[in-house]
Amino acid sequence: MKEKVLILDFGAQYTQLIARRVRELEIFSEIIPYHALPAEIPSDVKALILSGSPFSVRDANALRPDLSAWVGKVPILGICYGAQYIADTFGGSVARSDKREYGKARLQVLRPEHPFFSGIPQGSQVWMSHGDTILELPEGFELLAETDSIPVAAYASLPGHFDKMICCVQYHPEVTHSLDGHLLLSNFLRGIAGLKERWTPDLFIEESVQTIKQQTQGEEVLMALSGGVDSTVGALLLHKAIGDKLHCFFIDNGLLRKNEFQLVMDKYAEMGLKVHGIDARQKFWDGLAGITDPELKRKAIGRMFIEVFEEEAHAYPAVKWLGQGTIYPDVIESISVHGPSATIKSHHNVGGLPDHLKLKIVEPLRMLFKDEVRKVGDALGIPAEILGRHPFPGPGLAIRIISDVTPEKVATLQEADAIYTDILRKHGWYDKIWQSGAIFLPILSVGVMGDERSYENAIALRAVNSVDGMTAEWSKIPHEILAEISSEIINKVKGINRVVYDISTKPPATIEWE
């Protein structure tokens, strides 16, 4: 990457969103904690963005990075706390507000001719979330916008005061409630900072292939695939870079969806990936026997996966690298903004491999968000059946069986889930939903089957809409479709006489039941 934007994280809830909005402009962005700001500006960094924060610049423990090496050297954008920090640093006045300003506000643009506000209309809706107010600007800065509630909604350094301009906003342009926030970010990055390089999936693929080649130096890589989007895209990137030096395997742990193992293996073959399929169903069923606690299920599955992985690794003694589908949210979540001792750590999908394997880690997707992974996968030619699949939990159907796991319960749930998915597809609803799944409930209830009473289990249906899984709304599937799903499951799946639909949001409920 010849050009990128550095985002300094002060612990704001919206920091990831800033990075996503910058990436949507086809500009590469990277988040670092406030205390990790380099003393010297890297040659590829063309702009710096200061995020918001739950802290106040008036607090004794306020987060205060040294910006002296950066001011005037690259354009700087301060957002919320970032704007207050700039004002406070250069001698302005920042004070606690009489009341916290939170929610929608209307901008009164005082300098519409300023390049920062090019094309942004009067009265533009913005989103406020702050407890401090900038009362007085430092010398060398000018007011650009205000609202009915606050005197300083946006400001910038005067032309010539610094070699590179500083622009600041008290609101959050990165959230969708700020209707012209996307344009404001573009004005700053494309207009004021002058970034020109377009960061596209094709460019990412090209650069990743070169990086992987340099990193692995001709050594062999072993990668466990899950059948999901991240591991598949990661594997195809590795294969494009190192070819037959990549060894992949896919475990049938007996907890997959109906026919999923063969479907995924067939798709991998179509993509040109050589994948070793491992039938470990009985091992996992035996290892889960009698376990009902969700956390113990996860630990048992993790332990057995490691055992299978270790067996597979011994078949490839020349392997030096472990390929993983780690993506950028995993990396960001492992960074703390609360102390310089914090370090970025890999999120190993395999959950703690034995140290004696001595494998180095290669993570080709570690700088991508989930939607970007899908775009890269599309550019690589990965089939829609893989790219468009709903997220599936790592422990599989084990945590969608709310009791001990048995082969019989797995088979029952697989059948119900397949009916659910097939009917959603038939009516064009599968692609309207972010994640769906059936849950086996160990609850016996009375029913009537033909002329006889039944006493059988229930299936719960879950379907949610979300962007990243952090929050989720239950999907408003039409009642007639739910009725068809219920009827098909009860009529065709032995042992089920009741179907219910989960209408809980996240929070407070989670997407999965365990």
Side-chain angles (χ1 to χ4, degrees), residues 331-363:
V331 176
I332 295 169
E333 286 164 10
S334 68
I335 303 172
S336 170
V337 301
H338 299 296
S341 63
T343 57
I344 300 174
K345 58 179 182 291
S346 297
H347 278 236
H348 300 332
N349 301 331
V350 292
L353 289 172
D355 290 337
H356 63 80
L357 290 178
K358 306 292 185 187
L359 295 178
K360 297 172 283 188
I361 307 296
V362 55
E363 299 167 310

Side-chain angles (χ1 to χ4, degrees), residues 131-145:
D132 286 352
T133 296
I134 301 168
L135 299 178
E136 187 178 337
L137 292 179
E139 186 178 343
F141 290 81
E142 61 178 329
L143 183 64
L144 301 182

Side-chain angles (χ1 to χ4, degrees), residues 24 50 52 94 166 183 187 200 215 287 315 336 422 450 467 481:
E24 287 169 6
L50 312 182
V94 180
I166 298 177
L183 178 56
N187 286 345
T200 63
Q215 185 179 6
S336 170
D422 288 346
V467 173
I481 297 177

Side-chain angles (χ1 to χ4, degrees), residues 21 25 77 107 116 120 124-127 171-188:
R21 294 292 176 256
L25 292 168
L77 171 61
L107 277 186
F116 193 36
I120 295 178
S124 177
Q125 177 182 295
V126 297
W127 183 261
Y171 60 93
H172 289 275
E174 68 273 22
V175 303
T176 54
H177 300 301
S178 293
L179 299 184
D180 298 297
H182 192 266
L183 178 56
L184 186 94
L185 291 171
S186 179
N187 286 345
F188 174 75

